[in-house]
Amino acid sequence: MRALTLAEYGGPELLTVSELPSPTPRAGQILVRTAASGVNPVDLLVRGGAMAANISHPFPLVLGWDLSGTVEAVGAGVDRFAPGDRVVAMSAQYATGIGTHAEFVALPAAIAAPAPRTVDLVEAAALPLAGLTAYQALEKLAPRSGERLLISGAVGAVGGFATQLAASRGVEVIAFARPQDAELARELGASSVLSADEPLPTAIADVLLETAGIAPKVIGAVRDGGRAGSIYAPEPPKAERGITVLQTFVEQDGDQLAILSALVDEGVLTLRVAEIGDFAFGPEAHRRLAAGGSRGKFLLTP
């Protein structure tokens, strides 16, 4: 099978399209013929070696966490899916050791979910990691209808899903975004937009979801006794003024992913794709993601 592989940790130029043996599903696993897999910031960290201590997988390493495709075969004990089913999945590579940039991927059936029916199967690969990250962060922060939720990076991959999810629950979303992204933030459901080019007002939000790695810049916008959470934190929010500070890390969860797929079909969530290319596009996708500014997922197809 074709796969995008890494022979050693380093720059994007080390990513190579290779031929590898096709996997066989073990008990509890499904074998998926890949339609597409997404490129995420975590893939850049894995490629550069920043997560080497967390991934005990031999080289050549197959990167990728997002997956959409069709079930090719099922292992013993699997009754959740059958051959021919369209699925999406997120494989947390530090937990599974399984990358998704491959023509065939064998992974636990429990972490997969039915793919949305109303979108192209390739585009469905834009959902799993970012969607689960946003969903789980909101579950932990629990903003209530009528509360004011400030989202930094509100039009990014995770922030965009969080904006849509929160707005659909009656939460008043305040987007912190660049001026050129204000219209998109409102289209995603933000009630108001604060410019990232200007100082933030203080104590305007009940809850903060920080998705852009700028916690110290935005924590002052949370009222005394409010809640603040960060999806990744080179510099996490620091507790102050009675604010409850939470850190969230994405977990693979097929049941929650099924909820997100249904929300796509209901029109609550919109999938955004920047560009689709085959595995040979992988190195360029890594470079462009690292450069920033994209407003959608880079997807790779076999």
Side-chain angles (χ1 to χ4, degrees):
M1 68 170 185
R2 286 165 53 84
L4 184 63
T5 64
L6 185 70
E8 60 180 303
Y9 294 123
E13 70 280 358
L14 297 177
L15 293 167
T16 304
V17 180
S18 305
E19 292 285 335
L20 296 178
S22 296
T24 299
R26 301 191 300 271
Q29 290 188 330
I30 57 175
L31 179 67
V32 178
R33 179 185 290 272
T34 301
S37 53
V39 179
N40 292 283
V42 68
D43 295 311
L44 278 59
L45 295 174
V46 173
R47 188 205 71 230
M51 299 183 69
N54 304 101
I55 298 178
S56 56
H57 192 283
F59 289 110
L61 184 63
V62 178
L63 304 184
W65 289 43
D66 281 327
L67 176 71
S68 66
T70 305
V71 176
E72 187 82 1
V74 301
V78 174
D79 55 13
R80 187 181 176 102
F81 299 105
D85 287 350
R86 291 161 36 108
V87 296
V88 288
M90 187 201 85
S91 173
Q93 201 169 18
Y94 56 73
T96 63
I98 300 167
T100 59
H101 295 335
E103 190 174 0
F104 293 97
V105 179
L107 43 72
I111 68 175
R117 302 182 306 275
T118 55
V119 298
D120 183 83
L121 187 57
V122 169
E123 294 183 0
L127 176 65
L129 189 151
L132 283 172
T133 303
Y135 183 89
Q136 292 169 6
L138 290 176
E139 289 294 290
K140 184 171 285 190
L141 286 167
R144 297 179 293 274
S145 177
E147 284 194 310
R148 293 165 298 169
L149 169 66
L150 175 65
I151 301 179
S152 64
V155 300
V158 175
F161 280 129
T163 298
Q164 295 176 79
L165 286 168
S168 73
R169 299 174 184 179
V171 177
E172 181 183 343
V173 176
I174 305 170
F176 186 57
R178 301 179 304 174
Q180 59 266 44
D181 291 326
E183 182 178 352
L184 175 57
R186 290 190 175 91
E187 290 175 359
L188 293 173
S191 300
S192 58
V193 182
L194 298 176
S195 174
D197 292 346
E198 299 175 3
L200 266 176
T202 58
I204 59 166
D206 302 295
V207 186
L208 165 68
L209 175 55
E210 209 288 281
T211 74
I214 55 171
K217 183 176 180 180
V218 292
I219 189 69
V222 181
R223 64 168 173 80
D224 293 2
R227 306 184 299 286
S230 177
I231 63 163
Y232 74 49
E235 198 172 349
K238 293 180 173 59
E240 59 178 64
R241 298 180 286 110
I243 295 172
T244 300
V245 174
L246 303 167
Q247 180 91 46
T248 68
F249 300 94
V250 67
E251 300 288 344
Q252 48 197 17
D253 190 312
D255 292 335
Q256 290 180 345
L257 190 51
I259 293 172
L260 293 170
S261 283
L263 290 174
V264 173
D265 288 334
E266 292 168 16
V268 173
L269 294 180
T270 300
L271 304 183
R272 294 176 294 148
V273 175
E275 189 165 346
I276 301 168
D278 65 14
F279 287 158
F281 176 60
E284 180 61 19
H286 274 235
R287 294 186 189 97
R288 289 173 57 179
L289 181 60
S294 61
R295 289 294 170 256
K297 279 293 186 74
F298 294 107
L299 302 180
L300 303 180
T301 67

